[in-house]
Amino acid sequence: MKIEVIENVLKYNKDQADKNRKLFKDSKLLVLNLLSSPGAGKTSLVLETIKRLKGKKNIGVIEGDISSTYDAEKIGKLTDNVIQINTGGSCHLNASMIEQAVSKLKIKSLDLLIIENVGNLICPSGFDLGEDYKIVMSSVSEGDDKPVKYPPVFIKSNLIILNKMDLMEVSDFNQDFFENKVRELNSDSEIIKLSCKTGFGLEKWISWVLDHCKVHNNQ
Amino acid sequence: MKIEVIENVLKYNKDQADKNRKLFKDSKLLVLNLLSSPGAGKTSLVLETIKRLKGKKNIGVIEGDISSTYDAEKIGKLTDNVIQINTGGSCHLNASMIEQAVSKLKIKSLDLLIIENVGNLICPSGFDLGEDYKIVMSSVSEGDDKPVKYPPVFIKSNLIILNKMDLMEVSDFNQDFFENKVRELNSDSEIIKLSCKTGFGLEKWISWVLDHCKVHNNQ
């Protein structure tokens, strides 16, 4: 009984995600679903991305939080194309929430939509939003064992970002250990190391975004 | 229909938590449920607590993770009284998991049981395990906005720990902002600032534990 209900929820979400995916494809929009623990630096990356692509790409942002408009207010200083979703306690975004948020954005004018999921390294990875790519962001201060302890999100992500590289010197983070553990789970996805604070590695991230915008728009 | 099922799950969990609570009380055991984001430093705090209370208090530990025995192996170097629960994907511990784990510990010989919940700042706070106290650990590297964005766990916790104080100098964490936001949600619970890395503030934490063991055992 319980399992049946859960299956129905996931089936319903998948159907809505497929509708979102079709809309995104028809709109020639690259859609990224950004996942991480609380405080890993998702919002900082979104802010840096908007700043660095200003005048080159029109970017929309959906901010997911269980409450507050704190992050959307930060993004709102750089662009009007931002919508805050408050899940009201739910630990992840789902495809229906994205459908509603997208209806309030002028997506025909956008090149890129970044969805900043609720800060949670577990639940969001199970819910397809219709995105092109899932991106997991880990951070040096969280420690090098995250792939060992939270495998699903590393398995399912198309890109792995390691943020807060500026803290490497004051931490005992073992980069080889982290990379090897990621590779055991996911041999294909690129790992980009960066620091939103110092700017280190951000040019690689921006290149990744531009490369995938181009690929997407040529389809 | 969906709501009914969820209510049944929570009711079932509450009933089991009440059974756990009675067992813990009969065993004169202080039980702490430690909650945080991934990588905030829960395991480091458990390790420091065992080291500093060696010969004074017998401590049992239940480690909750979605997979791996990584943390239990670290704890296992200091004590045999450790059980790893792998939730197999579930984002929180529940009272039935605790019942099973406790049956494998010699709890009559213990003074203190620390339950390290799955690293997740959202879901675990909704599940009563039968503990005496919920403790939320935030860390400087996660940023000062966690109470704003994840209110429920700060509302429900009986103690707030701020870890990684050693990183304060290299961060833009605003301690007044953090404390004010915690106080808006929870005016009663103590805030202990510490660093598991340098040892700063750990004597306050140890005093808190000893004070509550004593109160508990005098009941």
Side-chain angles (χ1 to χ4, degrees):
Chain A
M1 185 61 175
K2 192 176 138 205
I3 289 170
E4 193 186 320
V5 173
I6 290 171
E7 278 179 355
N8 285 347
V9 169
L10 288 177
K11 174 72 168 59
Y12 177 79
N13 186 72
K14 179 65 169 56
D15 290 346
Q16 183 58 54
D18 287 340
K19 286 184 201 168
N20 293 352
R21 197 163 5 253
K22 184 173 183 317
L23 174 67
F24 298 152
K25 193 176 179 187
D26 291 347
S27 310
K28 295 181 187 285
L29 186 64
L30 172 68
V31 180
L32 307 178
N33 181 4
L34 192 51
L35 312 170
S36 84
S37 306
K42 296 185 296 306
T43 309
S44 298
L45 187 68
V46 173
L47 289 168
E48 288 300 324
T49 308
I50 296 172
K51 284 181 198 166
R52 284 161 193 257
L53 290 177
K54 191 174 179 178
K56 293 180 191 162
K57 296 290 175 189
N58 287 324
I59 303 176
V61 180
I62 296 175
E63 285 291 323
D65 282 298
I66 59 175
S67 69
S68 92
T69 54
Y70 196 73
D71 284 347
E73 287 168 25
K74 284 188 196 169
I75 309 287
K77 291 178 182 166
L78 298 184
T79 176
D80 292 333
N81 297 316
V82 57
I83 300 286
Q84 176 84 49
I85 297 176
N86 280 163
T87 65
S90 176
C91 50
H92 59 270
L93 296 177
N94 65 39
S96 294
M97 295 175 190
I98 297 304
E99 182 200 22
Q100 287 179 48
V102 163
S103 71
K104 294 173 188 166
L105 286 169
K106 294 173 186 162
I107 64 164
K108 298 281 179 193
S109 71
L110 299 178
D111 303 298
L112 168 63
L113 174 64
I114 306 178
I115 302 170
E116 183 180 335
N117 219 309
V118 178
N120 181 334
L121 210 48
I122 305 171
C123 316
S125 73
F127 286 79
D128 183 2
L129 307 180
E131 72 274 2
D132 294 292
Y133 299 103
K134 277 188 174 62
I135 300 174
V136 62
M137 173 183 260
S138 203
S139 68
V140 168
S141 50
E142 289 168 66
D144 52 23
D145 60 356
K146 295 294 119 5
V148 181
K149 294 173 60 186
Y150 304 86
V153 71
F154 288 91
I155 293 170
K156 290 178 183 176
S157 289
N158 310 100
L159 174 67
I160 290 96
I161 292 178
L162 180 60
N163 188 26
K164 306 194 187 178
M165 287 295 288
D166 54 290
L167 293 178
M168 194 60 80
E169 278 186 19
V170 293
S171 87
D172 52 5
F173 193 101
N174 183 325
Q175 295 185 59
D176 288 340
F177 178 83
F178 177 83
E179 287 181 50
N180 290 338
K181 291 301 173 185
V182 169
R183 286 289 161 251
E184 285 175 18
L185 300 167
N186 184 333
S187 56
D188 298 328
S189 298
E190 190 178 349
I191 301 172
I192 296 180
K193 300 176 183 180
L194 52 79
S195 164
C196 292
K197 191 169 181 178
T198 66
F200 169 81
L202 280 174
E203 76 286 355
K204 272 197 187 171
W205 157 249
I206 295 296
S207 293
W208 189 96
V209 171
L210 289 175
D211 286 351
H212 288 76
C213 274
K214 197 174 160 188
V215 169
H216 185 85
N217 290 339
N218 282 346
Q219 276 174 354
Chain B
M1 187 59 178
K2 194 177 137 204
I3 289 170
E4 191 186 320
V5 173
I6 290 171
E7 279 180 353
N8 285 346
V9 169
L10 288 176
K11 173 74 168 59
Y12 177 80
N13 186 73
K14 179 66 169 58
D15 291 347
Q16 183 58 54
D18 286 341
K19 286 184 200 168
N20 293 351
R21 199 166 359 256
K22 184 173 184 317
L23 175 68
F24 298 152
K25 193 176 179 185
D26 292 347
S27 310
K28 295 181 188 287
L29 185 64
L30 172 68
V31 180
L32 307 178
N33 181 5
L34 192 52
L35 312 170
S36 83
S37 305
K42 296 185 297 303
T43 310
S44 298
L45 187 68
V46 173
L47 290 168
E48 289 300 324
T49 308
I50 295 171
K51 285 180 198 165
R52 284 161 193 257
L53 290 178
K54 191 173 178 177
K56 292 181 190 160
K57 297 289 175 188
N58 286 325
I59 303 176
V61 180
I62 296 175
E63 285 292 323
D65 281 298
I66 59 174
S67 69
S68 92
T69 55
Y70 196 74
D71 284 347
E73 286 168 27
K74 284 188 196 168
I75 309 288
K77 290 177 183 167
L78 298 184
T79 176
D80 292 333
N81 298 315
V82 58
I83 300 287
Q84 176 83 49
I85 297 176
N86 280 163
T87 64
S90 176
C91 51
H92 60 270
L93 296 177
N94 65 40
S96 295
M97 294 176 190
I98 298 304
E99 181 200 22
Q100 288 179 47
V102 163
S103 72
K104 294 174 187 165
L105 286 169
K106 295 173 187 163
I107 63 165
K108 298 281 179 195
S109 71
L110 300 178
D111 302 297
L112 167 64
L113 174 63
I114 306 179
I115 302 170
E116 182 180 335
N117 219 308
V118 179
N120 181 334
L121 210 48
I122 305 172
C123 316
S125 73
F127 287 79
D128 184 2
L129 306 180
E131 72 274 3
D132 294 292
Y133 299 101
K134 276 188 175 60
I135 300 174
V136 61
M137 173 182 262
S138 204
S139 68
V140 168
S141 49
E142 289 167 67
D144 52 25
D145 59 357
K146 294 294 119 1
V148 180
K149 294 173 59 186
Y150 305 85
V153 71
F154 288 91
I155 292 170
K156 290 179 182 177
S157 289
N158 309 100
L159 173 67
I160 289 97
I161 292 178
L162 180 60
N163 189 26
K164 306 195 187 179
M165 287 296 287
D166 54 291
L167 293 178
M168 193 60 79
E169 278 186 19
V170 293
S171 86
D172 53 4
F173 193 101
N174 183 324
Q175 295 186 59
D176 288 340
F177 178 84
F178 177 83
E179 287 181 49
N180 290 338
K181 291 301 172 184
V182 169
R183 286 289 162 252
E184 284 175 18
L185 300 166
N186 183 333
S187 56
D188 297 329
S189 298
E190 191 177 350
I191 301 172
I192 296 180
K193 299 176 183 180
L194 53 79
S195 165
C196 292
K197 191 168 180 177
T198 66
F200 169 81
L202 280 173
E203 75 287 353
K204 272 197 187 173
W205 157 248
I206 294 296
S207 294
W208 189 97
V209 172
L210 289 174
D211 286 350
H212 288 77
C213 273
K214 195 174 160 189
V215 168
H216 186 86
N217 290 338
N218 282 346
Q219 276 175 352

